Amino acid sequence: FRRRWPLKKLVVKTKTGKELSKTLNVLAGMCNVKEISESQKKPSGNFGEKETPAFSVFIEKTVDDEMRGEWEFTELRRQIQDKRKLAGLNPNEQAILLIDCDDKKFLEKFRKRLEEETKTKIKNAGGPLEKLLNKSFYVEVKKA
């Protein structure tokens, strides 16, 4: 797993199960997890574990299609941001994103997030597809 890919769940086992309640949201952001909780007990399921004298951390290792989609989205967003930079666009400047994918449902699912998080307006286009993780994309960024 790459660190920039979000993970599904993190559980912190502490003595009282309430020691980190005010910092859980910050930890979730720092650890890039979708869900975080604190408990006095070890969670059941497929978790990787790291113990320290003060607490234990458990990260869920199960990966489903939803998480794979999030990872693909993360890589696509990174690629678009790289292309924005190469086009000389500043972070606040609106751009046009010419895009195609071998999975049209994926593009529809993430279309709004892509436009918001990359400050682009999507226009469907064709071109040579390049594989990212599991899906292939054509991506070109132009000034608006």
Side-chain angles (χ1 to χ4, degrees):
F1 300 105
R2 294 182 184 176
R3 198 169 99 179
R4 65 178 165 247
W5 293 354
L7 296 174
K8 195 168 193 168
K9 185 175 185 178
L10 178 121
V11 178
V12 182
K13 180 181 150 202
T14 59
K15 289 179 180 164
T16 66
K18 297 179 182 174
E19 296 164 59
L20 302 174
S21 61
K22 293 182 180 178
T23 60
L24 286 178
N25 288 337
V26 173
L27 283 172
M30 292 173 67
C31 297
N32 199 11
V33 293
K34 297 288 183 184
E35 181 184 338
I36 190 167
S37 63
E38 184 178 8
S39 175
Q40 287 181 286
K41 299 177 181 176
K42 179 178 178 176
S44 60
N46 187 15
F47 285 86
E49 177 181 353
K50 178 65 178 172
E51 289 189 43
T52 72
F55 60 90
S56 298
V57 177
F58 301 87
I59 296 177
E60 187 171 9
K61 297 191 298 184
T62 304
V63 178
D64 57 15
D65 288 339
E66 182 180 334
M67 290 309 301
R68 284 185 185 88
E70 286 289 328
W71 295 351
E72 196 85 46
F73 172 80
T74 300
E75 288 300 310
L76 178 60
R77 182 183 57 208
R78 184 192 58 74
Q79 183 183 54
I80 293 165
Q81 299 296 30
D82 286 348
K83 289 187 183 280
R84 282 181 60 91
K85 187 175 182 179
L86 289 172
L89 295 160
N90 70 49
N92 296 321
E93 195 173 353
Q94 185 72 28
I96 296 170
L97 173 60
L98 304 172
I99 192 166
D100 193 13
C101 178
D102 59 359
D103 183 349
K104 305 300 182 206
K105 288 180 181 179
F106 176 87
L107 275 184
E108 280 309 308
K109 179 178 179 180
F110 289 103
R111 181 183 193 101
K112 186 175 179 181
R113 267 182 73 190
L114 268 179
E115 287 182 331
E116 290 172 358
E117 294 182 24
T118 62
K119 195 135 176 100
T120 58
K121 179 69 178 159
I122 290 178
K123 292 192 177 181
N124 295 333
L129 299 176
E130 294 180 27
K131 193 166 186 89
L132 273 182
L133 300 177
N134 295 311
K135 300 178 188 335
S136 296
F137 298 90
Y138 167 73
V139 176
E140 185 179 347
V141 176
K142 292 186 175 186
K143 290 185 179 190

